[in-house]
Amino acid sequence: MSDNLPRNNIFKVIGASSLGTLIEWYDFYIFGSLAVIIGHQLFPEDAGASALINTLAIFAAGFIVRPFGALVFGRLGDLIGRKYTFLLTLVLMGGSTFFIGLIPSYKSIGYAAPILVLILRLIQGLALGGEYGGAATYVAEHAPKNKRGFFTSWIQTTATLGLFLSLGIIVITKNILGAETFGDWGWRIPFLLSIVLVVVSIYIRMKMHESPMFSKLKAEGNVSKNPLKESFNNKANFKMVLLALFGATMGQGVIWYTGQFYAQSFLENTCKLDFNDSRYILLWGIAFATPFFVVFGAWSDKVGRKWIMLSGMLLGILFYRPIYQMFLDDTDYTKVEQTDILSANPAQVTSLLIANSTDSLRTISTKVMLKNGASFNRVQIDTVSQTKGILSGKEVIKDKVLPTPVFWKFVGLIFFQILLVTMVYGPIAAFLVELFPTKIRYTSMSLPYHIGNGVFGGLVPFIATLIASFSGSTPLSGLWYPIGIAALSLVIGTIYLSNKRDENIND
């Protein structure tokens, strides 16, 4: 049936599905892209590093509930159809994102602020858990059997493009409003904009028809009566669920989130790069690498899915530590010689009274520009005590702007990491669709995808940051989590996965 569809119909299906999925990813990732600023808004001013860790924990909560969304909405998708299920997930996602933009700060409502955001973040996770499986299944069930990897790879681009869109809107908004206004209230704008994008996407999706395979199944009266039971009580099918999880999606998930989210977090929080520089690097890397989702998806139609995905995992295991060591080495300005300095602005001194105390914090900030085009702020925060005098704080070098050659070197390193993402992620929708029968496909493929990608992958920024904060750890210690998970998945996938493509998914 799908082979007889005119090509423009297939591209219309891909366009409508991809746009909605892209908006859902945009909604989901704004939070992570603004974690540092949101942390300051949701928690007390003196929370320090724990504000970021708590914010990343809220961010991670959205990933943890994704498998539950996969079960709830996957079941609905196999019972009532693909179209109406992912219309519902779109509304839930867009509504939650919009309301996060309206939540008052900690200063206004105390700890009710992070609690309300956590609730909305959980709804976002549930919605995303139902969205991806529906979109991938919908496109795959329209695609010709010999181009399933190529057509579903367009859906795979949406996660990275959603991140690209969120970063782009954040940078534009910040540059228009200025850093201070953006940190005060401007960060809410990317969240509020979501409602416009969602309305457009709902309008487009309302015009779509149901998947031809599901329509045929429904016309013949063969729709599953209990998708959950048929998916997980059937021994052969459950074995496929476990293989998909541990042999593919688990490793794919950590490669995805290390190459994009952890990379951004590492550049901003560990290397202390300037806000715009860290995002421009990621934007360029994404722009250069995104076409490779389609390249590897199409290639998997010719050579199979397995070895492309596993090769991406192997390269991540081998190169993550050297790449992140280069990030550290090239942003180490602690040994700058006096002869390297072009100029240094006079130190700016500000004071802030500590709440419920007679002591105050004195911040001394000096902007330093180097002859090679780099610059940074040298910041020292001292405590001025009425009884103990001045207690000197540790000097921190932050807001680093890279010289042009190093900037493009970092773009290349991010590009390489996202290239690995395209290897593991480009073919995986077709791989998952081909594992399961039509009547329980939505449920069966959604669960391993969201446990692997959402839980194992989504926890990378939180767990890696947490590990790196332990006593005795180094800035690279957090990388052992994605490297270990990818290595485990590589071994299981190599031994147990088949490279054979299932051309007939109309079963």
Side-chain angles (χ1 to χ4, degrees), residues 31 35-36 38-40 43 47-61 265 269 459 461-470:
F31 195 97
V36 175
I38 292 174
H40 290 312
F43 296 98
S50 66
L52 175 63
I53 291 178
N54 288 333
T55 307
L56 289 176
I58 294 176
F59 181 60
S265 177
N269 300 310
L459 289 177
F462 173 67
I463 292 180
T465 303
L466 191 64
I467 292 173
S469 71
F470 291 158

Side-chain angles (χ1 to χ4, degrees), residues 63 65-78 82 85-86 89 126-138 228 231-232 237 241 244-245 249 429 432-433 435-436 440-455:
F63 291 97
V65 298
R66 276 172 56 179
F68 298 101
L71 290 176
V72 172
F73 294 107
R75 178 176 178 275
L76 276 180
D78 283 330
R82 291 41 168 143
T85 303
F86 59 42
T89 61
L126 288 171
L128 191 62
E131 165 67 22
Y132 171 81
T137 301
Y138 188 78
L228 291 177
S231 293
F232 307 119
N237 198 72
V241 170
L245 169 59
T249 62
L432 290 172
V433 164
L435 283 181
F436 305 106
I440 54 172
R441 181 170 293 136
Y442 200 152
T443 306
S444 297
M445 72 166 281
S446 292
L447 187 68
Y449 173 78
H450 286 291
I451 293 178
N453 186 282
V455 177

Side-chain angles (χ1 to χ4, degrees), residues 247-452:
T249 62
M250 181 174 74
Q252 169 263 312
V254 295
I255 295 292
W256 204 104
Y257 284 93
T258 302
Q260 297 178 122
F261 262 107
Y262 187 63
Q264 184 199 330
S265 177
F266 192 87
L267 290 177
E268 186 175 5
N269 300 310
T270 305
C271 298
K272 305 291 183 187
L273 280 196
D274 169 73
F275 181 94
N276 280 351
D277 248 26
S278 63
R279 281 155 182 81
Y280 287 145
I281 289 167
L282 211 64
L283 284 168
W284 279 113
I286 290 173
F288 290 139
T290 295
F292 288 92
F293 283 106
V294 180
V295 171
F296 287 115
W299 195 29
S300 75
D301 287 326
K302 301 183 187 304
V303 301
R305 329 287 184 201
K306 171 181 173 178
W307 293 113
I308 295 176
M309 295 189 296
L310 296 185
S311 297
M313 293 180 204
L314 176 62
L315 291 172
I317 294 166
L318 295 176
F319 288 105
Y320 276 156
R321 285 183 66 86
I323 287 172
Y324 283 78
Q325 186 62 56
M326 278 190 269
F327 285 151
L328 284 176
D329 293 343
D330 288 344
T331 56
D332 182 3
Y333 292 159
T334 57
K335 298 174 183 172
V336 169
E337 301 288 341
Q338 193 63 35
T339 53
D340 297 327
I341 296 177
L342 176 67
S343 64
N345 293 342
Q348 302 286 319
V349 182
T350 58
S351 292
L352 177 68
L353 193 63
I354 300 174
N356 304 317
S357 169
T358 57
D359 298 346
S360 61
L361 295 177
R362 184 182 68 181
T363 303
I364 305 171
S365 176
T366 307
K367 176 86 170 179
V368 178
M369 281 155 282
L370 304 183
K371 291 176 181 175
N372 65 2
S375 67
F376 56 85
N377 276 324
R378 188 177 283 145
V379 179
Q380 180 165 327
I381 301 178
D382 303 325
T383 302
V384 181
S385 171
Q386 295 286 343
T387 56
K388 300 177 183 175
I390 296 176
L391 305 174
S392 298
K394 184 180 177 183
E395 183 182 87
V396 176
I397 296 176
K398 56 192 287 192
D399 303 327
K400 300 170 186 170
V401 175
L402 300 172
T404 302
V406 179
F407 176 90
W408 288 107
K409 176 183 176 181
F410 278 30
V411 170
L413 294 174
I414 292 291
F415 164 79
F416 177 73
Q417 290 185 73
I418 302 177
L419 188 70
L420 305 188
V421 173
T422 66
M423 293 176 72
V424 298
Y425 201 57
I428 206 163
F431 166 79
L432 290 172
V433 164
E434 290 167 355
L435 283 181
F436 305 106
T438 305
K439 66 178 184 176
I440 54 172
R441 181 170 293 136
Y442 200 152
T443 306
S444 297
M445 72 166 281
S446 292
L447 187 68
Y449 173 78
H450 286 291
I451 293 178

Side-chain angles (χ1 to χ4, degrees), residues 201-272:
S201 185
I202 289 174
Y203 174 77
I204 294 172
R205 283 195 171 181
M206 286 294 288
K207 293 179 174 297
M208 295 163 65
H209 300 291
E210 185 51 84
S211 145
M213 289 185 188
F214 184 83
S215 297
K216 179 172 179 287
L217 209 65
K218 192 173 181 180
E220 295 170 349
N222 289 326
V223 174
S224 172
K225 292 182 174 55
N226 192 335
L228 291 177
K229 185 177 179 183
E230 290 185 43
S231 293
F232 307 119
N233 272 8
N234 180 304
K235 190 175 178 181
N237 198 72
F238 189 59
K239 179 185 173 186
M240 289 295 110
V241 170
L242 294 179
L243 275 181
L245 169 59
F246 294 111
T249 62
M250 181 174 74
Q252 169 263 312
V254 295
I255 295 292
W256 204 104
Y257 284 93
T258 302
Q260 297 178 122
F261 262 107
Y262 187 63
Q264 184 199 330
S265 177
F266 192 87
L267 290 177
E268 186 175 5
N269 300 310
T270 305
C271 298
K272 305 291 183 187

Side-chain angles (χ1 to χ4, degrees), residues 242-243 246-248 250 310 487-497:
L242 294 179
L243 275 181
F246 294 111
M250 181 174 74
L310 296 185
L488 182 61
S489 192
L490 175 66
V491 171
I492 294 172
T494 300
I495 296 172
Y496 293 107
L497 290 187

